[in-house]
Amino acid sequence: MSERRPVWLTDADRTSYEPLSRSRIADALVVGAGITGLTSALLLAREGLEVVVLEAAGVGSGTTGGTTGKVTSQHGLIYRDMIERHGEPVARAYAQANQQAVELIESLVRDTDARCDHTRASALVFALDSGQMGDLEAEHAAASRLGLPSGLIDQPTDLPFQIAGALEFTDQAHFHPVRYCDALARELISLGGHVHEQSRIIGLAEHGDRVEVHAASGGSVTAGHAIVATLLPFIDRGGFFAKTRPGRAYGIAARLRSAPPAGMYIGAGPPVRSFRPWPDGGDTGIIFVGESHETGDEEKANPGRWGELERWAREHFDVDTFDYRWSAQDYSTADGLPYVGRSPLTDRTLVATGFHKWGLSNGTAAARIMTDLVLGVSNPFAESFEAGRIGDARAVKKIISDNAKVARMFVGDRVERLSPRPLADLRPGEGALVRADGSGTVAAYRAPSGEIQAVSATCTHLGCTVHWNDAENSWDCQCHGSRFGRDGQVLSGPAAEPLETVDLDGGSA
Ligand SMILES: Cc1cc2nc3c(=O)[nH]c(=O)nc-3n(C[C@H](O)[C@H](O)[C@H](O)COP(=O)(O)OP(=O)(O)OC[C@H]3O[C@@H](n4cnc5c(N)ncnc54)[C@H](O)[C@@H]3O)c2cc1C
Ligand code: FES
């Protein structure tokens, strides 16, 4: 039976950092210690700025700690569509920003002496069906036009199953993302920077030429600039809640009975399956990722997602053991490009979000753009990623339909709350919206011991209803992707406050 935790968060000997408990003054503050925040912090510290990083949980414990760990400008089949939709200059900016991020990561691995198994490898999109070859050919033509290292190949020698062909980007990389983040944090501190874990930021305000943030742990920081690198900004001055959609995907780490392919593969799908070697698993380790769905989809968020991945892995590889299973979240944008730069209606607050599950390179590119904006240096890619944009007509249509869906969820969920299940029906290990005498509809979980843990069903972000995630035993909000533990504590934002505990004997505690 595999262990239920991200394969990248298993090291026992990691450094931990004190929560923020006092007032600090700095040149720049960064909220979020994932790859985007830590890269930003280090790039600024290298320019001589004093930087404070504030992290709600632990370094690398967000989506960076649940990624596949591919570092590549190949993000599935995107470039033909991007050229058609946004024009060649914008598509070139995206391609080159990401390809330069691949190189920046390698140089930071070298400079920080990061022991993160950074390995150069090809990234390949494979077609199982010859009917998909036309798409690969069109993508190859687009990627070549944009200056990416693209080529078409027939049957790669390292795959144990037959394919129709593959699109290869040479000289990309994979690594251990959390060990990389740990190295960035260490280097930041050696340059006079500071990192505080367990320090969730609950308020941000600009006062003239300063930005001030307050942490739930008690302290505050005042700085000349703020970079909000929290996957989705927790402040919404740019309509990011309306312009993005949260999605989850599932990962498993396994050992085969022989060596895995050396390349990093993703299927043209469906179903989309992504895999790469897993060096900590020895000579036969491999990681598989797939089974994406929208956050809060109660029908899909169950352990069957890992079951599907395992079934596919066994069908295509000679699997010996399954070792770890986990799930993670990222946000997509209405026009397919990340939002990066100055947050609208602010002067000194920068944001980065909407990486479409390709934020190791996109987040690194975003860090470069945001630090250039802080330093007043021109960046050739900044305009294409500009955070305040609404997008083209197609994006506007999508924003309208996504938000109509959120509104329907808001209303639909309220109706659903009128007909919750009786509490007595809840089986051990199950969570659901239930009817509780005196407390109305609550979100309740029955532990295997029979004990009930009940919390408010109303998301503390903007009031949508949370839904049970049976895969991860959490309460997830479909509206903007906030997630809460069984005890109501925030697992991931934009919500900053926990779900209220409900005492089923006597109403709200
Ligand atoms: C299953 C899956 C596989 C993926 N695989 C790949 C891949 O192979 N290659 C690739 O390029 N991309 C991949 N991605 C996407 C990539 O992992 C993410 O886009 C990237 O890690 C985002 O990094 P980040 O630093 O912006 O966010 P995160 O890593 O999520 O970091 C944000 C941090 O902010 C903290 N935070 C949040 N709110 C607050 C607050 N209020 N106060 C303080 N701190 C706060 C969080 O705790 C978190 O640590 C994948 C995504 C998924 C879901
Ligand atoms: S995440 Fe916005 S309402 Fe729940």
Side-chain angles (χ1 to χ4, degrees), residues 230-255:
T230 51
L231 196 65
L232 178 68
F234 61 96
I235 44 155
D236 196 25
R237 307 213 178 116
F240 301 112
F241 303 149
K243 295 195 298 188
T244 59
R245 291 300 303 145
R248 299 196 67 74
Y250 296 75
I252 53 177
R255 286 180 170 86

Side-chain angles (χ1 to χ4, degrees), residues 347-435:
D347 290 325
R348 300 181 159 267
T349 305
L350 301 154
V351 294
T353 189
F355 298 142
H356 288 261
K357 301 200 180 91
W358 292 106
L360 298 179
S361 57
N362 265 317
T364 302
R368 181 81 272 172
I369 292 170
M370 291 190 290
T371 51
D372 281 349
L373 286 168
V374 169
L375 298 167
V377 174
S378 112
N379 182 296
F381 310 126
E383 199 183 328
S384 302
F385 290 82
E386 200 263 314
R389 72 180 189 280
I390 299 290
D392 54 10
R394 212 168 114 195
V396 172
K397 211 167 146 193
K398 177 149 175 36
I399 291 171
I400 291 170
S401 81
D402 282 349
N403 284 283
K405 194 166 150 198
V406 168
R408 276 198 306 278
M409 284 188 288
F410 193 82
V411 175
D413 286 349
R414 301 270 140 181
V415 173
E416 189 186 328
R417 284 169 73 156
L418 297 176
S419 54
R421 291 169 49 187
L423 178 61
D425 282 4
L426 208 56
R427 292 186 301 271
E430 197 185 8
L433 298 185
V434 300
R435 187 170 57 246

Side-chain angles (χ1 to χ4, degrees), residues 10 34 47 54 92-93 179 189 218 257 273 409 421 439 488:
T10 56
E47 297 298 323
L54 303 157
R92 186 181 299 279
R179 289 182 195 148
I189 286 163
R257 291 199 176 81
R273 296 287 181 253
M409 284 188 288
R421 291 169 49 187
S439 301

